[in-house]
Amino acid sequence: MPNAIITARRVAVDLGGVPVLRDVDLTAVPGEIVAVMGENGAGKSTLLRCLAGLQPSPCGEIDVLGGPPADLPGFWREVALAGDEPAWYPGLSVREHLELMGAVRQDARLTAGEALATFELGARADLAPLSLSTGQRQRLSLAMALLRSSRLLLLDEPERGLDAAFRRRLAGILRGYAAEGGAVVMATHDARLAQEAGARVVTLRAAS
Amino acid sequence: MIPSLARPHPALAYLRARRRRPATWSDRYTRVFGLLVAAAVLGRPVAEAIAGLARHADPARLGAGLALVAAAYAGLLVLARALGPVVLPAADASWLVTSPLPRRAVLGRTALLLLSAAVLAGAALGLTALSVFGAPDRLGVRLAAALLLGVAAGVGGMAAAVLGQQSPASDARLQVLIAGALSVAVLAAVLGAGPGRRILAAVAGAPASMGAAVAGVASLAAALLVRRAWAALPRIPAHRILAASTRTARVTSAATTLDPGTLTWVMEDAHWRGRALRSRPWPRLVSRSGPAPALAWQEWLRVGRRPGRLAALLGAAALPAVCADATGGASGPVAGMLLCGALTAAAMCTGGVRREGGDPALARMLAVGGRAVTAARAGLPALLAASWAALALAALQAVGALPAGAWWLFGPAVAPALAAGALRMARRRPIDHSMPVIDTPGGAVPTGPLVWAATGPDLALLGSLPTLAAIASPPVSVAPYLAAQAAAGAAVLTAYILRSARRAPH
């Protein structure tokens, strides 16, 4: 596909001699949301790591934004990844984490105030992230990823810790991101989130 | 039927049942034999050291010695407060503290351990104080008084820390005690060489009976505090014991797995967790200057949020001068302390870099890296290292440990190398325990911890050689050494920044 943001063909990964992914194909074009689903151990997170260039020596062809993914600042300027909870900066509040992102990425999509409102974190803006609940920290993580501009958003189980109402809201936020021309690839167990986001579902089967 | 008075409380019976198996004869034999061997090995040196205390104090070193003892006491109290001090193994904390078992029965063993630790630490402090003040007469009485006074201070301080864990009001009093001990240390260091020397000499020459009386009063005060702490033990809120136990378990785990980097992480999280912060926007000037200054600004913000720590750090710049005073101007310890202190000052403001080294997820999200970021991040560490080293060198000159000359200029000159060392320290990976172990005549040496410990200090040492050489043998003119230091510092930082050009964003 000429304008594809992601083109992955016959991707395979073995971990310790055990096949985790086998001959997986995936494409994503601008404006598209792809939900990667499958049982535990099917390789969803591993596939995301391959797309982010964080999986050592995967087999197959992976092309992200016109080249192989690489863990370098130039790559991350175009790609945002929200997976496991990041290590928050000590001594910075929730608002300051968002301010930092806005100050560093001057082409930000949202201001810190807008991100706080969108992700319903206004009441917790002056707390350190470690003082938040699991779901609120997940919202902050997503807010950080969505505040900045990017062409590709990689999300590993974005629904983790979120209540049902916010999952619906998240679906709308992702649709808005895709409408601006970005592509989203998310590994998820939440079929409803995928459906409400209007995602194309790719189901992985366990390789072994 | 067993009379009810003879039956132990069910809670005590439960706790006894789950403790370790009773000691066997073999265990007792091993313990006694170990104590005998220790007595045989250490008896003679200890007896000689005690006999060596029978001397007059050196008035020139009284101030510095007292300052070190007071600082060590403050450190003991800070450590007790930071660790809990009432903690339990993580599993016991989770299950027993929140159970209906009597709290004092659950915490009794911990209390006994704290008492033992306080007695040992206090005795060591007492002996150190006696070695500072000397014993011109009646060695036995002075030794007993010093030990009693030290133990009373240690036990009393630990009891105050237990009370501080029970209530915020007592914690405030404990902080006053810590501040008092630190003030004594500073006053002794500053005034001990001048106007305070006469007072300290008078204290050193006071009759032994007066020392015994002071020790007696201190013991009574300590006993009172211990009684209050024992009464407060059941009232310590469960959540404080749980939080302290979790924190201590993580610290212990980091220490036993030889991962000292985790210790910093744990202490930082413990400090900031649960605090409400006054959020501040990034200054426009910083934001407009580009991504690198914007990323580096967080360190300035963090340092500004802990003014007490900054003040303590700058106050600690007097330590090399105190050390020079106490050791009679030995250049080795002074140079070592100067390098370590200035490197610590630089490393204090690399928290963000350390986080990214441990988990680069946020750095990837921010998507900045390269030379500009490294250069921007070196600014604050260099400034703090320069200030600390300049103050320490000025203090050394003030106490006469360095000759005339613009020694303070070595601070700004050495700072870039120290900043590079601090950034390298912040970015180092955890200890690689798979690295080879080298057999030496002195025993096996694991290279993993050695390489880890040397990563960072190596750059700082390399870039500080002209300063260290100048301190080791003070030259007539410092100008050539200053020029060499400025060149070495700039070269080390430049090389470090250039090497960071093409690395992943962490």
Side-chain angles (χ1 to χ4, degrees):
Chain A
M1 224 175 280
N3 65 340
I5 285 182
I6 293 177
T7 310
R9 290 199 192 90
R10 297 185 305 281
V11 178
V13 172
D14 283 8
L15 292 180
V18 177
V20 177
L21 284 178
R22 186 61 73 216
D23 294 333
V24 174
D25 294 341
L26 186 100
T27 55
V29 296
E32 185 179 28
I33 301 176
V34 179
V36 181
M37 303 190 72
E39 63 194 31
N40 292 135
K44 302 183 294 296
S45 299
T46 307
L47 177 61
L48 280 192
R49 288 181 61 79
C50 291
L51 299 177
L54 300 176
Q55 183 66 42
S57 21
C59 298
E61 292 171 30
I62 302 175
D63 188 292
V64 178
L65 295 164
D71 184 16
L72 289 171
F75 175 77
W76 293 114
R77 275 192 274 278
E78 305 289 342
V79 180
L81 169 69
D84 292 333
E85 183 182 347
W88 305 107
Y89 289 124
L92 295 194
S93 67
V94 167
R95 180 188 289 274
E96 284 165 345
H97 273 85
L98 297 168
E99 289 270 1
L100 169 64
M101 180 63 85
V104 169
R105 300 298 306 268
Q106 299 192 346
D107 53 351
R109 297 173 59 242
L110 305 168
T111 64
E114 288 167 347
L116 284 170
T118 305
F119 289 86
E120 298 174 4
L121 288 167
R124 301 283 184 272
D126 288 334
L127 289 179
L130 285 178
S131 307
L132 304 182
S133 71
T134 308
Q136 287 167 335
R137 292 203 301 272
Q138 176 69 355
R139 285 190 213 174
L140 177 59
S141 183
L142 292 168
M144 295 278 281
L146 280 148
L147 182 149
R148 51 162 288 191
S149 65
S150 60
R151 291 169 65 194
L152 172 63
L153 188 57
L154 300 172
L155 304 175
D156 193 0
E157 298 191 27
E159 73 276 12
R160 191 184 304 145
L162 300 181
D163 56 53
F166 194 82
R167 288 185 191 197
R168 281 195 294 280
R169 191 178 179 114
L170 176 63
I173 293 169
L174 295 180
R175 280 200 308 272
Y177 175 86
E180 291 172 16
V184 181
V185 177
M186 61 175 173
T188 180
H189 289 286
D190 189 341
R192 191 163 177 188
L193 172 68
Q195 185 192 358
E196 288 180 350
R200 174 166 64 86
V201 175
V202 173
T203 305
L204 295 184
R205 311 253 174 243
S208 56
Chain B
M1 189 173 164
I2 302 171
S4 62
L5 283 174
R7 278 203 308 261
H9 189 286
L12 294 176
Y14 171 77
L15 289 170
R16 276 182 200 147
R18 58 183 298 283
R19 276 181 190 145
R20 286 185 306 175
R21 65 181 171 80
T24 63
W25 282 107
S26 168
D27 295 335
R28 289 178 188 137
Y29 168 77
T30 309
R31 267 181 226 155
V32 171
F33 185 71
L35 285 174
L36 288 174
V37 169
V41 172
L42 299 175
R44 193 184 172 92
V46 169
E48 283 175 2
I50 289 174
L53 297 173
R55 55 172 170 73
H56 285 278
D58 177 357
R61 297 186 188 176
L62 273 175
L66 179 62
L68 290 179
V69 171
Y73 184 57
L76 177 72
L77 295 180
V78 168
L79 184 68
R81 183 169 178 265
L83 290 180
V86 178
V87 292
L88 287 170
D92 284 5
S94 301
W95 293 102
L96 298 183
V97 173
T98 52
S99 73
L101 292 170
R103 187 70 61 77
R104 203 176 275 161
V106 171
L107 300 175
R109 192 180 172 83
T110 301
L112 193 62
L113 285 172
L114 287 178
L115 184 66
S116 311
V119 166
L120 286 175
L125 275 178
L127 276 178
T128 312
L130 186 63
S131 74
V132 171
F133 284 99
D137 57 3
R138 301 175 71 189
L139 175 62
V141 177
R142 286 182 188 273
L143 178 64
L147 281 175
L148 198 59
L149 192 60
V151 169
V155 170
M158 190 62 84
V162 172
L163 287 167
Q165 198 175 1
Q166 188 249 328
S167 80
S170 301
D171 187 48
R173 283 193 282 274
L174 174 64
Q175 290 185 52
V176 170
L177 181 62
I178 292 169
L182 284 174
S183 305
V184 168
V186 172
L187 284 175
V190 174
L191 303 178
R197 183 180 289 190
R198 193 172 288 174
I199 299 170
L200 292 173
V203 171
S209 55
M210 188 180 285
V214 171
V217 172
S219 305
L220 280 177
L224 194 68
L225 278 172
V226 168
R227 194 176 160 198
R228 285 190 58 202
W230 180 250
L233 208 55
R235 297 197 302 271
I236 299 177
H239 69 90
R240 293 211 184 114
I241 298 175
L242 286 171
S245 301
T246 308
R247 194 165 60 238
T248 306
R250 289 173 70 189
V251 169
T252 312
S253 162
T256 51
T257 55
L258 285 176
D259 188 3
T262 309
L263 293 178
T264 317
W265 197 301
V266 170
M267 299 315 282
E268 278 175 344
D269 280 353
H271 178 82
W272 295 110
R273 190 190 303 269
R275 280 175 197 260
L277 305 162
R278 210 171 126 210
S279 298
R280 292 181 185 169
W282 257 234
R284 281 191 184 173
L285 181 66
V286 172
S287 299
R288 285 178 185 164
S289 305
L295 183 62
W297 176 249
Q298 57 166 304
E299 299 293 354
W300 295 78
L301 203 58
R302 212 164 9 242
V303 166
R305 284 194 166 147
R306 299 189 73 177
R309 195 168 73 141
L310 189 61
L313 177 82
L314 294 178
L319 283 179
V322 173
C323 175
D325 214 17
T327 58
S331 59
V334 169
M337 204 172 256
L338 186 75
L339 182 65
C340 290
L343 186 58
T344 305
M348 207 181 84
C349 42
T350 56
V353 185
R354 225 172 11 249
R355 285 293 155 123
E356 290 165 14
D359 177 1
L362 267 190
R364 287 185 186 124
M365 225 182 252
L366 290 163
V368 286
R371 291 172 185 162
V373 167
T374 308
R377 283 182 145 169
L380 184 58
L383 179 67
L384 275 188
S387 310
W388 199 93
L391 280 174
L393 287 163
L396 279 168
Q397 212 170 7
V399 299
L402 291 174
W407 283 87
W408 68 271
L409 282 174
F410 278 105
V414 78
L418 296 171
L423 289 174
R424 186 164 147 84
M425 272 170 73
R427 284 191 171 127
R428 63 190 165 186
R429 307 257 173 215
I431 293 175
D432 182 358
H433 291 289
S434 67
M435 288 184 75
V437 176
I438 300 171
D439 281 322
T440 69
V445 177
T447 51
L450 275 185
V451 169
W452 183 89
T455 306
D458 51 358
L459 269 192
L461 183 65
L462 182 70
S464 313
L465 285 176
T467 300
L468 299 178
I471 291 173
S473 55
V476 179
S477 166
V478 294
Y481 283 85
L482 265 176
Q485 181 54 71
V492 164
L493 183 58
T494 306
Y496 183 74
I497 290 172
L498 290 176
R499 269 185 59 88
S500 68
R502 287 183 55 79
R503 59 186 300 152
H506 49 85

